[in-house]
Amino acid sequence: MNNDSVTALLHEEGAWKNADQWINLVAYVASRITRNPDRELNSAEEFAKWKGGGSIGYPLNLQRLSAAALRCRWEFITSPAQDFVLNDRGFVGIRHPGWQAPALFVPLRRDSAVVIGGGARHRKQLAWQNGGWRISIPTTTIDSELTLKLNAMSWIGAREECYAARPQPLENAAKYHLSVPDEVKNLALANDYVYPILGSTLDECVADEMLLLRLLGGIRVREDSDDPTNLWI
């Protein structure tokens, strides 16, 4: 289901994407984060810093991570000039130059990826079009130089291995990562980098989960609204 949603979203033109398929992608990206083994090593220490209390199982719960990822700022990235490299964590921490905020870079296909972050909570617009809800998410095409930098970050952030469809992107990443400044490397090496992106207060987490369940259950057009074909989440 997730693979079909990723393929469909990546082939849609323009900023308006199928909202139901995007929800599947949210869960897929959250699963990348949840299954990361390194999160288990430091979750107790980091969770103790959270406001609102809770249990150690909280940050490892897929549903709650899906709710948090849903609230993030989203951007699709395409790289027609050079393939992306995927590491064995499935994502890497970066600082988004346009957002001036922490973000997670998550490769989806050899030429496509998604970036989430920009603060833990970001409002997104939905519109009722052609009998279904669509969500506005921008797509940015990047050049080979920026792809090389992202691949170098993936290389640095790997536990043990990186993967690519062809050897050249791996060779380029292996060479380029040596010139990456230490302060930038620290972003990729920080196992707790997910927390400033997905962290919220307990009340916000509950609200995010309620929104996730609402989206999964299907949003109907509100007849009592002044503009029933548009809403913000």
Side-chain angles (χ1 to χ4, degrees), residues 8-232:
L9 287 168
L10 295 178
H11 281 85
E12 284 193 293
E13 297 182 358
W16 293 98
K17 311 294 185 182
N18 182 288
D20 291 331
Q21 292 170 340
W22 174 69
I23 289 297
N24 290 336
L25 178 60
V26 169
Y28 175 67
V29 170
S31 71
R32 290 272 192 96
I33 302 169
T34 305
R35 72 188 184 193
N36 176 18
D38 292 331
R39 297 202 65 207
E40 300 180 12
L41 300 178
N42 64 348
S43 59
E45 177 183 350
E46 288 301 318
F47 190 77
K49 302 176 184 178
W50 283 28
K51 297 179 180 179
S55 69
I56 188 174
Y58 186 93
L60 303 180
N61 182 280
L62 177 58
Q63 176 179 322
R64 290 171 174 173
L65 274 173
S66 295
L70 179 148
R71 280 297 193 187
C72 288
R73 189 170 181 172
W74 284 68
E75 180 182 9
F76 287 104
I77 303 292
T78 62
S79 175
Q82 185 175 175
D83 292 354
F84 287 123
V85 165
L86 175 68
N87 66 25
D88 50 8
R89 284 193 175 95
F91 64 90
V92 67
I94 63 172
R95 184 169 183 82
H96 193 292
W99 301 345
Q100 290 299 302
L104 292 182
F105 169 68
V106 185
L108 301 174
R109 296 287 189 271
R110 59 192 294 178
D111 61 350
S112 304
V114 67
V115 179
I116 68 170
R121 302 170 69 81
H122 182 77
R123 296 186 73 204
K124 289 170 278 293
Q125 185 181 10
L126 274 70
W128 185 263
Q129 301 176 359
N130 301 320
W133 287 106
R134 304 183 71 79
I135 186 168
S136 179
I137 300 177
T139 298
T140 301
T141 300
I142 63 175
D143 57 24
S144 57
E145 181 178 357
L146 183 51
T147 302
L148 178 58
K149 293 179 180 179
L150 290 170
N151 286 346
M153 291 294 284
S154 292
W155 182 277
I156 294 168
R159 294 196 324 272
E160 296 179 355
E161 297 179 334
C162 284
Y163 318 100
R166 295 177 292 185
Q168 193 61 49
L170 291 173
E171 294 173 2
N172 293 340
K175 295 177 182 178
Y176 188 84
H177 93 277
L178 298 174
S179 62
V180 175
D182 289 341
E183 62 270 21
V184 179
K185 288 182 179 179
N186 290 338
L187 299 179
L189 294 172
N191 296 331
D192 59 349
Y193 197 64
V194 177
Y195 289 88
I197 297 173
L198 302 181
S200 300
T201 65
L202 184 60
D203 289 342
E204 288 174 340
C205 290
V206 171
D208 292 347
E209 287 198 54
M210 293 302 295
L211 174 60
L212 175 64
L213 294 175
R214 181 185 174 200
L215 293 177
L216 290 173
I219 300 177
R220 298 181 180 180
V221 176
R222 291 186 56 183
E223 301 296 340
D224 60 340
S225 172
D226 294 335
D227 186 5
T229 61
N230 285 276
L231 61 86
W232 291 83

